[in-house]
Amino acid sequence: MRNLTQVEANERARLLDVTGYDISLDLSSAVLAADGRTFRSTTEVRFRCAEPGASTFIELAADSVRSATLNGAPVDLSDWSAEKGLTLSGLDSDNTLVVDADFGYSNSGQGLHRTVDPVDGETYLYSQFETADAQRVFACFDQPDLKSVYTWHTTVPAHWRVVSNMPVEREEPAGEDLKTLHFTESPRMSTYITALCAGPYHEVRDTHDGIDLGAFCRASMAPYLDSDDLFLITKQGFDFFHEKFGVRYPLPKYDQLWVPDFNAGAMENFGCVTHAESHYLFRSQVTDFEYEQRANTILHELAHMWFGDLVTMRWWNDLWLNESFAEWASHWCNSNATRFTEAWTTFLSIRKNWGYRQDQLSSTHPVYTEMPDMEAVEVNFDGITYAKGASVLKQLVAYVGEEPFVAGLRAYFGKHAWGNATFDDLLTELEAASGRELRKFAAQWLETAQVNTLRPELTIGADGTYEQVVVRQEAPASFPTLRTHRIGVGLYDLTDGRLVRRERHEVDVTGERTDVAELRGVRAADVLLLNDDDLSYTKLRLDDRSMATVVQHIGGFESSLARALCWTAAWDMTRDAELAARDYVALVLAGLPAETDINLVTATLRQATTTLTLYADPAWAPTGWAGLARAAKDALAAAEPGSGFQLAWARAYASAARSDEDLATLRGWLDGSAVPAGLTVATELRWTVLGALVANGAAGAAEIEAELASDRTASGEREAAYVHALAPTAENKAAVWALLTGPDALPNWRHRALLQGFAHPAQVELVAPYRERYFAAIGQVWATRDSEPAQEFAQLAYPTYLVEDDTVAATDAWLAGDGHPGPLRRLVAEGRDGVVRALRARARDAQSA
């Protein structure tokens, strides 16, 4: 595919106005053809040219081109390739291009993805066009600012449903057991948010506020499509966004499809949203963590209908704004309009921590960053683009006030509806609505990289009052920006085991040292909490007095957000080698069993396992794993039977189990013996337990195949592939590696499962030989795979668990080589960053022994 540059896109946008697409797809080959490898697509594109006689190009990533005519004359196809597209010369002021081509079905989750359900043998298709994969399905000018209208026509087997951005206008027979569906013409939109999904999908319909709602999934997943809850969140989102944005959702229907083998969480196709079935359709018990994550994703995509679809970024420089806005708006809506009222706690513990991690890598970049070409865009769907950007928007709302912010949004939507805009356009409306100058704020937060740390320095007098409270702001030497932070400072007193906030002050922290004068003479608190209520994007530290109180009484905070700030501070300190890994684990084991927010339990348990895997001294780590297993077993026994907390601790117990006794307990769970009261060991939990047994050599291929025999589904096949990859033998690892690096690209679900199972914290020595093999293979894998699987291999196959100087040296040697693509160099360097950080943390932990 063509690596479109920003310069090329700007010139093409200056030259062209695309007035319409008419697209006809024959998808009967997905079922009827012998190989089902390709489909026929005929595209008529109508467009104006500002300079008659000029030349341009159109993207056309087809397998083969049957014919192409421009204004009735044949187009020379000798120079066409999927990588370059099709050159169009001698343009008129008004042009009609007709391209008849055969395109390949995809199994990478890009373009038109095709999957066959192992339950019933039925075929399912869905499109995924972001960032520039529409050209894999029809000839198009594949950039966001060449918006147009679209009319789809699709021939499919007669029993199939077809879903696109707009409703079906009419249907007609098309031969034996076939039909052709004609869709109504769409409003103006960008190529990357057009969509078409087809197959014998199970469908549930509803209506709300004059909008037709649809929920779809594969027929075999119909028992797990809890449409009542899905529609409830969707309706709550529509009501909230309609009220706040002041602009009605502009399409007649809103369909959501939960599809297999999806690479991301979801995609905001206008009126035809696709979600990852594997993440959000639950085949057995899950916790409220999973339900809230699903609600957040539903609302994220719904927010995109306004911000991204109705008004679209001009070029991918503003990708951050597109994603950050939806990220911020989903948590805003969740906390105000759904049962997930503590969504900002989840934002901090899950999403913001992602941003902090990303921002401290060598690849850190400003939130706003120039995107020279599409290859740069592909690797920028990261924690800065999503979470840091959303954090900055959250600060901006606090800075200007919610009412002026909403007024500015309404003006922005009104002025730029159906068009393209930039962040500067949004700032203009926010300044007009708030009366505040925002360019300096934007420059400070959006055009600089890395994260600050705020550290309190206290002097307490003999009378028990503060003589001085100073907030020190730190920045890394390589990114020395000190920013203006509007933060809360909370004073908490310990009373009968509860940490009660006595008072809160909002202060502006500027420069290296800020004296909080209003606290002079105030009685010292047991805990002084910087960034109380999490207003700013910053790492924070606790003073010694506060830390000592928190270690003993972290559960005493009534506010989950206050607890999350303290958990996050401890996690940051561990990653920064300021707190020994064993001390962090001790804090988790002491404080987490009493935690009442399931999102904090889930996030912190993940961080504890990461700490033991990467940051703990290997000589002590087995002690830590045993301690975590004991604590998890005790916590799940104490939890309310059947509760989400019991399930969360059961998962943690399975991941921590290493001893013969613990593995025997897990085997009993699978056999139905000694299962804790209320714990349902079904489907997903069964696979989790079996994976733990296999990874530790306590079960093998026979058990995996027996489990698969009772779960012969797409989900079961994915789980079985993952667990097979975990088997701890040199022969198995060699076989998995051969599949991952072989000449034939694997389906994306299988590729991902094998990568995730290839390395395991208990198998470090077993995968040591693959450090050199990774660097020998990565260039070829990158060059021969689609972008999504190539990125996954670069990240997941990197020797992360080999926390050794040799890994750093091998990475440095590879990075010193010539000819590596920039995006690949970035991902490999990020892997190195993780190992360097882990080496520092392990050294700190060893010192504390």
Side-chain angles (χ1 to χ4, degrees), residues 349-421:
S349 60
I350 304 294
R351 307 300 283 181
K352 217 169 177 182
N353 270 324
W354 176 33
Y356 291 146
R357 177 190 172 277
Q358 188 82 42
D359 212 5
Q360 295 173 82
L361 296 172
S362 60
S363 59
T364 187
H365 56 84
V367 174
Y368 177 88
T369 186
E370 289 286 328
M371 299 287 184
D373 55 30
M374 294 309 301
E375 287 184 358
V377 179
E378 295 282 0
V379 294
N380 239 48
F381 287 81
D382 62 17
I384 296 172
T385 296
Y386 282 75
K388 182 178 181 179
S391 302
V392 173
L393 287 179
K394 187 169 185 264
Q395 289 172 231
L396 187 58
V397 174
Y399 186 61
V400 303
E402 187 171 303
E403 283 191 22
F405 187 84
V406 168
L409 282 181
R410 291 181 172 195
Y412 173 81
F413 291 140
K415 186 175 291 186
H416 300 286
W418 305 113
N420 298 83

Side-chain angles (χ1 to χ4, degrees), residues 318-348:
D318 279 318
L319 169 66
W320 79 270
L321 183 58
N322 195 23
E323 295 301 345
S324 295
F325 181 87
E327 180 89 344
W328 168 79
S330 62
H331 290 87
W332 181 45
C333 179
N334 234 352
S335 62
N336 285 288
T338 78
R339 66 187 177 92
F340 302 109
T341 55
E342 301 298 307
W344 288 119
T345 297
T346 311
F347 177 71
L348 168 60

Side-chain angles (χ1 to χ4, degrees), residues 808 831-841:
V808 179
R832 179 192 187 277
D833 296 338
V835 173
V836 170
R837 181 179 287 275
L839 284 167
R840 286 198 300 265

